[in-house]
Amino acid sequence: MNFKENKAIYLQIAERISELILLGEYREEERIPSVREYAAIVEVNFNTVMRSFDHLQASGIIFNKRGIGYFVSEGACKKIHSLRKEHFLQNEINDFFKQIHLLEIPIGEIVAMYEKYSNQLNNK
């Protein structure tokens, strides 16, 4: 996994696990790799992955069955979607609109780009 320097590694790992849940690789109520297994997969310290799992558990995305491992929570996909939407609307949309304004990009061009992107995703 390639990490970005501008964000904590444990958060990037948590986001990646969330993406895998959204993509169906980890299904609701199913076990996910252990902390040690995942640390080996992404080649980071065990404690970093433990922090990621703690973050996901506190968010209600995964839960721990003591002695068995971590599992994807029921409703995790809906929760991830909700949290990401909230984050985007509170943090990223303002920067997006600021850049559109500063670069003087016409709204029609943005709409056309969005429609093209959306069509590409729908055709996959």
Side-chain angles (χ1 to χ4, degrees):
M1 188 170 168
N2 295 324
F3 298 105
K4 300 173 188 166
E5 291 186 25
N6 62 343
K7 190 176 220 175
I9 291 174
Y10 85 94
L11 290 174
Q12 293 178 62
I13 293 169
E15 286 177 1
R16 180 63 184 149
I17 292 170
S18 293
E19 286 175 12
L20 294 171
I21 292 168
L22 290 175
L23 292 169
E25 187 161 328
Y26 302 144
R27 299 182 196 280
E28 294 182 6
E29 301 292 326
E30 288 186 356
R31 187 179 178 280
I32 63 173
S34 71
V35 174
R36 292 194 190 283
E37 290 169 336
Y38 209 81
I41 291 168
V42 295
E43 300 176 335
V44 298
N45 184 287
F46 164 88
N47 293 320
T48 303
V49 175
M50 189 68 234
R51 194 167 176 198
S52 301
F53 279 39
D54 286 344
H55 176 76
L56 291 168
Q57 188 170 2
S59 299
I61 295 169
I62 64 173
F63 65 95
N64 186 13
K65 288 186 181 179
R66 191 175 175 126
I68 300 174
Y70 286 90
F71 292 76
V72 177
S73 298
E74 184 177 337
C77 290
K78 194 173 188 176
K79 181 72 172 177
I80 294 165
H81 185 267
S82 174
L83 290 170
R84 285 186 171 196
K85 183 177 179 180
E86 179 181 333
H87 174 78
F88 178 76
L89 292 174
Q90 289 181 354
N91 301 302
E92 297 180 32
I93 196 89
N94 289 332
D95 290 335
F96 177 75
F97 285 133
K98 180 179 178 182
Q99 289 301 316
I100 290 171
H101 177 75
L102 291 173
L103 298 172
E104 299 176 351
I105 301 171
I107 193 68
E109 190 174 333
I110 298 298
V111 170
M113 291 174 70
Y114 173 76
E115 288 172 348
K116 180 180 177 184
Y117 180 77
S118 183
N119 286 335
Q120 288 173 344
L121 288 178
N122 290 332
N123 291 328
K124 283 188 176 182

